[in-house]
Amino acid sequence: MPEKTIWSEDGRVFLLDQTLLPSQRKVIEITTAGEMWQAIRALRVRGAPAIGIAAAYGVWLAVKNASDFDSIPVRQLIENACSYLATARPTAVNLFWALDRIRRLADEYGEMPGEKLKRLILDEAERMVAEDNAVCLAIGQHGAKLLKSGDRVLTHCNAGGLATAQYGTALAVVYCAVEHDGKQIEVFADETRPLLQGSRLTAWELMQAKIPVTLICDNMAGSVMRRGWVNAVIVGTDRVARNGDFANKIGTYGVAVLAREHNVPFYVAAPLSSIDVSIPDGDRIPIEERDPEEIVQMMGTQLAPPGVRVFNPAFDVTPHDLVTAFITEKGVIYPPYDRTIPELFDAPMAANA
Ligand code: MRU
């Protein structure tokens, strides 16, 4: 099983620095909300569920480091930290979901002495880690039923353990199919330009787990599908709208179109914390645009003429009609998503998860 990506020990917060993988496996301590903001922005911690947890720990660090609750009331401090951390990245709704949970705590227990409220925030962040593990394992178990032994799965970006507290969403399906159900599954990992989460992270974590993985460049996905080598595509998501349109790492839309063309089922692993029922469709999902340098340079090497005009969106939106099913912790749902997605929020956890 994959390793932990973000956690606390005795009130100190640690994360595995994902910008250094695969050449270096280094755990760093994050000591302030500012450092957490930077870590999220710089993708030291990344993937929608993981950045939600990171933001919650960021608020904890802000209140932990404040000693004088007389000059600024703790509720105000929490609100300031939440507003600040919310600016780290715009697309993954998990970030806002996690901060709203902390805000609700502050609303409910705001009259408590500052020290007690501090402790509640740490407890809440730690609860998010435990819940994330349970949610990912449930996604894995539901999704594993969609795969049969011998299947080859194509994935884009990294929706593995590294993108969550530990177990992943899209890759939890693969881990469960292999480790729990004993199926033989192979994975094609798109390298995922520009920042190579597929080659640096997905290939790394699957190799650690001894699951056969073949790395391909993004522009090879159509070719491997055309050869009949892909039985299913499974990706993660940063935000799903109420109608099932969803945002994921740039390039996902193209993979979905290719899957439709080649009759390959296209699944999206989505914890409920990644579903934003407040927006009707994908046009309302804010798409992060990142520094052009991420495209024109790689590891200090210039790849394009200096000064070239660049468009660098970190995510794209895939329309719901290209999605065969969503795999959630409450089970697998099928179209019509404008009905089945809202229903999820009233449904109990499925008994077999
Ligand atoms: O920019 P990143 O690396 O944070 O993008 C991550 C993705 O696109 C993942 O697929 C998504 O967050 C789902 S993670 C379970």
Side-chain angles (χ1 to χ4, degrees):
M1 273 295 182
E3 54 186 302
K4 292 190 290 188
T5 61
I6 180 161
W7 67 95
S8 54
E9 261 169 47
D10 302 325
R12 295 166 67 193
V13 181
F14 299 92
L15 55 86
L16 183 60
D17 185 343
Q18 299 191 32
T19 59
L20 303 176
L21 289 170
S23 43
Q24 213 186 328
R25 189 198 164 284
K26 187 175 175 196
V27 171
I28 54 173
E29 182 175 1
I30 302 290
T31 60
T32 65
E35 284 176 17
M36 190 59 91
W37 189 96
Q38 287 291 348
I40 295 170
R41 176 62 70 101
L43 312 187
R44 293 186 197 289
V45 55
R46 32 76 42 211
I51 66 177
I53 294 165
Y57 275 128
V59 183
W60 148 249
L61 291 170
V63 291
K64 177 191 174 190
N65 294 336
S67 48
D68 177 8
F69 292 132
D70 292 333
S71 57
I72 169 161
V74 66
R75 278 180 80 171
Q76 187 59 50
L77 205 92
I78 292 170
E79 181 45 45
N80 293 352
C82 286
S83 308
Y84 167 62
L85 285 154
T87 63
R89 295 188 77 188
T91 304
V93 73
N94 306 63
L95 178 73
F96 308 96
W97 168 90
L99 293 172
D100 282 348
R101 269 178 71 155
I102 302 288
R103 282 192 175 104
R104 279 201 297 277
L105 205 69
D107 286 347
E108 198 171 339
Y109 299 104
E111 303 311 321
M112 266 189 178
E115 287 305 320
K116 280 198 172 162
L117 191 47
K118 258 191 195 181
R119 179 70 229 180
L120 287 184
I121 291 173
L122 178 59
D123 289 348
E124 187 72 356
E126 288 177 343
R127 196 172 300 119
M128 284 182 201
V129 172
E131 284 175 15
D132 185 75
N133 288 337
V135 161
C136 289
L137 288 173
I139 287 175
Q141 286 172 21
H142 290 303
K145 297 189 189 112
L146 300 168
L147 300 179
K148 57 183 189 319
S149 202
D151 273 356
R152 283 176 288 206
V153 171
L154 185 141
T155 192
H156 189 76
C157 192
N158 174 268
L162 291 167
T164 64
Q166 186 165 6
Y167 297 112
T169 60
L171 292 191
V173 173
V174 174
Y175 293 133
C176 276
V178 172
E179 292 171 17
H180 190 264
D181 300 354
K183 295 173 186 166
Q184 284 193 335
I185 307 291
E186 292 186 28
V187 177
F188 283 106
D190 285 355
E191 68 174 350
T192 318
R193 275 286 286 155
L195 290 175
L196 305 178
Q197 286 91 331
S199 59
R200 290 188 304 104
L201 307 177
T202 298
W204 181 80
E205 73 164 87
L206 287 169
M207 287 177 77
Q208 298 282 309
K210 305 215 174 337
I211 290 176
V213 54
T214 303
L215 177 64
I216 56 172
C217 300
D218 295 358
N219 54 5
M220 298 171 190
S223 178
V224 295
M225 286 187 206
R226 188 148 198 267
R227 289 164 194 250
W229 290 352
V230 179
N231 304 96
V233 174
I234 312 179
V235 295
T237 177
D238 285 78
R239 193 185 295 230
V240 183
R242 199 168 60 231
N243 71 344
D245 296 350
F246 75 98
N248 192 48
K249 178 54 54 192
I250 188 74
T252 302
Y253 170 56
V255 176
V257 172
L258 287 168
R260 170 62 52 90
E261 172 68 18
H262 295 91
N263 290 318
V264 174
F266 183 91
Y267 300 117
V268 182
L272 267 66
S273 57
S274 298
I275 302 178
D276 183 356
V277 282
S278 77
I279 53 169
D281 56 47
D283 289 347
R284 312 292 170 95
I285 300 177
I287 299 295
E288 175 183 11
E289 282 193 38
R290 293 184 61 90
D291 188 343
E293 291 304 298
E294 292 180 345
I295 290 187
V296 300
Q297 288 200 354
M298 194 175 286
M299 288 157 194
T301 302
Q302 190 74 21
L303 301 178
V308 67
R309 190 163 47 194
V310 166
F311 176 48
N312 185 19
F315 301 97
D316 57 24
V317 172
T318 298
H320 60 274
D321 54 301
L322 295 176
V323 179
T324 307
F326 286 93
I327 308 166
T328 79
E329 65 268 39
K330 291 195 177 174
V332 178
I333 59 160
Y334 295 89
Y337 297 123
D338 53 1
R339 179 170 63 74
T340 53
I341 286 179
E343 276 173 7
L344 268 180
F345 287 83
D346 299 323
M349 286 289 278
N352 58 353

